[in-house]
Amino acid sequence: MSQTQAGWGGGPSARYEDLAERFRPVFRRIRETAPARDRDRRLPHEEIAWLREAGFTTLRLPRAQNGHDATLPELFNLLIELSAADSNVTNALRAHFGFTEDALNSRFPAWREAWLARIARGETVGSGVSESGSAKVGSFDTVLRRDGAGWRLDGTKYYTTGSLFSDWIHLAAEDETGAPVGAAVPRRAPGVEVVDDWDGFGQALTASGTVRFTDVALSPDLVNPDPGRFRYAMAFFQLVHLATLAGIARAAAEDVARLVGERRRVYSHGNAATVAEDPQVLQVVGRVRGAAYAAGAVALKNAEALQRVYAADQAGDAETAEAAGRVADVEVNQSVTVVTSLVLDATTLLFDALGASATARTLGLDRYWRNARTIASHNPRIYRDRIVGDFAVNGATPPKQYRVGQG
């Protein structure tokens, strides 16, 4: 069944359904195992491998480089579908897709081609950016020092989402002079220790814990000649969260509708002979589905804004790209409260349709609220509202970075 036939709206392109059909069998397999994995806290190593084998991690690469030449709206629509299967998996791949954008937009041909080739071979990248210490905005305690012709790395990172599943860790650090520096670190290099110590009540399977780097030797070719990120990075990473929330809401809507249809026990004070005919229960199902639809529509509209930035950058029009990037940041920021409110409300409201039996861990409905609440806590929405208000009233440009340690 197509996305349109399912009532979720048309895809972002004429070819979207053909592109999505390649991955939907994998999404279905992932969704089938998601409740049990959540209960048993089994990390999705196998599920991520399925996606890698299907070519999902090369979506944005050109066809000539083993990719699918997916646009950003196509990518984010697929992330919504993946998140409906398991939002943990989307979160675990967030850094990989962001690093792919870094490579695609790099001004340094040797770095760009080397990393596009690695990604084309199925290699994946996790996150080594955030720290949990007291470093100031834009600075890091992790240090990458020159050591003869090479480099030596020492430090500790936290919120290293996806690194446990990856081949590489994208690192943000400082050099010995305090200047920013970026690098890609082999996850299995001597001195790299990845610890699965993330204990959040939601998104528990993302491996978002600690990575320790102790005297790690790096060759010069692994140090990025450009320590910055791609122009639309902040909007991109936040939009992954919004697409993830939209997918959580879609899965919750589909599950509550299915369970209401299957339910045989009725409320003693209900309005019909079956729950499936009770107008108040149907209203709950409708509200949950409407929230999911709206969240997805907003996320895809945001993706169009990011695509405009990318297109201008690729055309070499820096002035247009900078202006489009500013607008994209505003669009994503002003969507955060709307989408998170819709999804948090929907993942709470669904229990009104099914009663106490819906809290059974075997059903797995509780994970939708836990996961949504955890994602919604990244860079809290109160700050997003303030940023948008400052733009609307004072014309202020949204910040290009947030405090170290926040998502």
Side-chain angles (χ1 to χ4, degrees), residues 235 325-335 387-388 391 396-398:
R326 180 171 182 254
V327 172
D329 283 337
V330 172
E331 287 197 39
V332 172
N333 275 296
Q334 67 192 12
S335 301
I387 290 167
V388 173
F391 168 81
T397 299

Side-chain angles (χ1 to χ4, degrees), residues 110-111 114-115 118 149-151 168 182-184 218-225:
W111 176 269
W115 281 102
R118 289 186 176 107
W151 296 75
W168 300 86
L218 287 184
S219 57
D221 62 301
L222 297 181
V223 177
N224 194 335

Side-chain angles (χ1 to χ4, degrees), residues 41 158-159 195-210 374:
R41 205 183 181 282
Y158 194 60
Y159 306 117
V195 184
D196 179 26
D197 57 351
W198 166 245
D199 65 350
F201 64 66
Q203 296 296 107
L205 308 182
T206 60
S208 298
T210 301
T374 301

Side-chain angles (χ1 to χ4, degrees), residues 43-102:
L43 297 176
H45 290 280
E46 187 176 18
E47 289 74 13
I48 290 173
W50 296 342
L51 290 167
R52 187 169 55 244
E53 291 163 8
F56 191 77
T57 56
T58 66
L59 273 169
R60 288 278 288 150
L61 269 58
R63 287 191 178 90
Q65 292 178 288
N66 199 36
H68 302 273
D69 203 22
T71 64
L72 286 165
E74 288 171 339
L75 169 66
F76 280 101
N77 204 154
L78 286 167
L79 292 181
I80 292 172
E81 293 201 35
L82 174 59
S83 300
D86 187 349
S87 61
N88 288 279
V89 177
T90 306
N91 209 185
L93 291 173
R94 178 173 176 250
H96 172 80
F97 284 115
F99 187 85
T100 300
E101 296 302 310
D102 271 323

Side-chain angles (χ1 to χ4, degrees), residues 93-295:
L93 291 173
R94 178 173 176 250
H96 172 80
F97 284 115
F99 187 85
T100 300
E101 296 302 310
D102 271 323
L104 287 168
N105 288 278
S106 176
R107 299 178 292 111
F108 297 88
W111 176 269
R112 181 177 64 247
E113 296 309 316
W115 281 102
L116 292 180
R118 289 186 176 107
I119 294 167
R121 292 195 295 267
E123 296 178 27
T124 56
V125 183
S127 177
V129 176
S130 297
E131 297 179 358
S132 59
S134 58
K136 296 179 180 179
V137 177
S139 66
F140 299 97
D141 290 330
T142 301
V143 178
L144 190 58
R145 297 179 176 85
R146 290 170 180 82
D147 180 30
W151 296 75
R152 289 280 171 177
L153 170 65
D154 288 280
T156 300
K157 294 290 185 177
Y158 194 60
Y159 306 117
T160 57
T161 305
S163 288
L164 190 64
F165 312 113
S166 69
D167 302 293
W168 300 86
I169 300 172
H170 173 236
L171 179 81
E174 294 182 357
D175 66 14
E176 63 270 29
T177 70
V181 61
V185 183
R187 187 178 71 78
R188 295 174 179 83
V192 176
E193 180 188 11
V194 182
V195 184
D196 179 26
D197 57 351
W198 166 245
D199 65 350
F201 64 66
Q203 296 296 107
L205 308 182
T206 60
S208 298
T210 301
V211 176
R212 300 187 184 96
F213 303 102
T214 305
D215 197 32
V216 179
L218 287 184
S219 57
D221 62 301
L222 297 181
V223 177
N224 194 335
D226 183 356
R229 303 302 303 264
F230 55 103
R231 196 183 305 267
Y232 48 95
M234 291 310 304
F236 180 93
F237 286 113
Q238 185 60 44
L239 185 51
V240 175
H241 286 325
L242 297 188
T244 305
L245 287 168
I248 290 171
R250 185 176 296 188
E254 292 171 345
D255 275 0
V256 73
R258 174 180 56 82
L259 292 168
V260 165
E262 295 172 353
R263 188 177 174 91
R264 296 294 173 261
R265 183 168 177 263
V266 298
Y267 294 109
S268 59
H269 49 284
N271 302 297
T274 67
V275 175
E277 297 171 314
D278 190 317
Q280 285 186 281
V281 171
L282 293 177
Q283 181 186 26
V284 171
V285 174
R287 283 183 60 187
V288 172
R289 187 178 176 88
Y293 179 87

